[in-house]
Amino acid sequence: MSTTFQLDTATSRANPTPQPIRRLTVPAIRARKQDGVTAEPIVMLTAYTARQAQLLDAHCDVLLVGDSLGQVIYGLPSTVPVTLEMMANHAAAVVRGSWHAVVVVDMPFGTYEGSPEQAFASAAHLLKASGAAAVKLEGGAAMAATVEFVVQRGVPVIGHVGLTPQAVNVLGGYGARGRTEAEAAKIVGDARALADAGAFAIVVEGVVEPIAVAVTEAVPCPTIGIGASARCDGQVLVTEDLLGMFERVPRFVKRYEDIAALISGAAQRYAADVRNRTFPGPEQTYQAD
Ligand code: KIV
């Protein structure tokens, strides 16, 4: 799969096919925060497919091809088994389906922690194979040297602190972080280290609200919250969560639709039509002239 495939506007089922418009850039996202103030919060959602990207693109500043696709798309138990090729393929689809938002792709577990060189090779592969503009990686101070190495070689990076799902086996679960003074200080220190290393934004996930505010005040680059605070410089959610695709709703999610009920209801009506032979009807069948 590569970026040499473009969306075919003649065969796309989207109607009207979205019109190409000028894409936002990484420096434009970074520049949203000036002297500690972000006048226009950054809107970020996850996207994993071309059609999802088409529908979200006009409303978002950043589309994140999150490794949460491991659970959301593939039914995996965590993000740990997600591979570089999975990320590259979904990121390429999202780039094909978007014209406006900056596309950022998550670096999956095991593809960047070994060394700065490993991280650069993995990031370069993701960007070349997909056309995405930037990568996101998890971890704080321990990843700072890697972030610096990768950024200096032309790969924009979003950091990710607080609850870092790839570390679930170390953390022992997905509970909110920053409840003790030591943990809170570490999260703020992690964010500072990433910002100093050149990250253009930092996702702050699953932390108690005062820590999200402290991080936002501590770093010059924008923070993007999930389970954090409305005072972050932007917000991100997993799109399927806000659509109501799953029964379990984490506390930090606001559901805007109940798409699971729509899908299940449509499948139920289709199944009934097939069983009582009312589908396909005359409108859906080809007749001989
Ligand atoms: O993988 C993901 O979707 C993420 C966001 C939830 C921040 O990292």
Side-chain angles (χ1 to χ4, degrees), residues 44 46 48 64-69 71-72 79 87 106 136 138 160 165-166 203-205 224-226 236-238 252:
M44 187 196 267
T46 60
Y48 313 125
L64 172 66
V65 188
D67 61 353
S68 50
L69 62 74
Q71 288 128 313
V72 175
T79 55
M87 296 310 299
D106 256 339
K136 176 169 83 58
E138 295 184 10
H160 186 151
Q166 291 177 9
V203 166
V204 183
E205 175 166 1
I224 301 179
I226 173 165
V236 59
L237 278 179
V238 169
F252 57 83

